[in-house]
Amino acid sequence: MARLGGDEKDVHPRGYQQLDAVAFQRGEDGKIHTADDIELGPVDVTWSVEEFYAVFGDDDKEFVGSLDSKGLFTPNIDGPNPQRKFGRNNYGDVWVVATAKTEKDKDGKPLSAKAYLVVTVPTYIRWDQPEVSQ
């Protein structure tokens, strides 16, 4: 999850998200996500963002932020954004895709994986308010 925010002077800073790609071997049982899986380490990948279609005409990919070549997602400013339909904020959900530069599957295609990224509004509520605990 990443969080929209304002500029450096804003009281609601952006919530950046660092992504990484790590390879695993399935272990002796040949099944994924079991106790005998072996972590092989980081994989050199190309990062990209794809639309996660939650509603008809979704355009979140264009407004939520940007992903650099090292996997650092920088969320956009909060908004409202006059370029978006209904002047919405820049929140939304997208797929982050990691495509291996050198590792291939059995058919010779590059290995890839994707993760769901939610880019949400800043936290405006102060959670340590004394009156809440009374």
Side-chain angles (χ1 to χ4, degrees):
M1 182 169 19
R3 187 181 62 247
L4 300 171
D7 60 20
E8 295 78 34
K9 300 172 193 163
D10 196 322
V11 296
H12 304 289
R14 298 178 200 201
Y16 298 83
Q17 188 59 256
Q18 178 64 56
L19 298 126
D20 58 349
V22 179
F24 282 83
Q25 200 273 343
R26 293 179 182 202
E28 287 187 23
D29 66 6
K31 298 177 183 174
I32 60 172
H33 306 298
T34 58
D36 70 338
D37 291 358
I38 302 166
E39 182 177 328
L40 301 176
V43 178
D44 192 19
V45 298
T46 301
W47 294 100
S48 62
V49 176
E50 294 179 357
E51 189 66 55
F52 179 91
Y53 292 101
V55 296
F56 181 74
D58 220 348
D59 63 354
D60 296 343
K61 175 184 165 188
E62 306 304 318
F63 297 102
V64 295
S66 60
L67 185 64
D68 73 11
S69 63
K70 304 251 191 251
L72 178 64
F73 181 80
T74 302
N76 206 342
I77 59 171
D78 40 12
N81 187 342
Q83 295 177 333
R84 287 199 88 171
K85 190 174 184 180
F86 309 119
R88 296 185 340 218
N89 278 334
N90 292 315
Y91 61 83
D93 29 19
V94 293
W95 289 114
V96 175
V97 181
T99 304
K101 291 183 179 179
T102 57
E103 287 78 9
K104 312 270 188 226
D105 68 9
K106 63 182 178 175
D107 299 322
K109 296 178 184 174
L111 293 175
S112 67
K114 60 180 162 180
Y116 177 61
L117 177 65
V118 175
V119 184
T120 187
V121 297
T123 303
Y124 294 113
I125 299 171
R126 190 171 146 206
W127 294 102
D128 63 347
Q129 294 171 311
E131 61 272 14
V132 173
S133 63
Q134 295 178 357

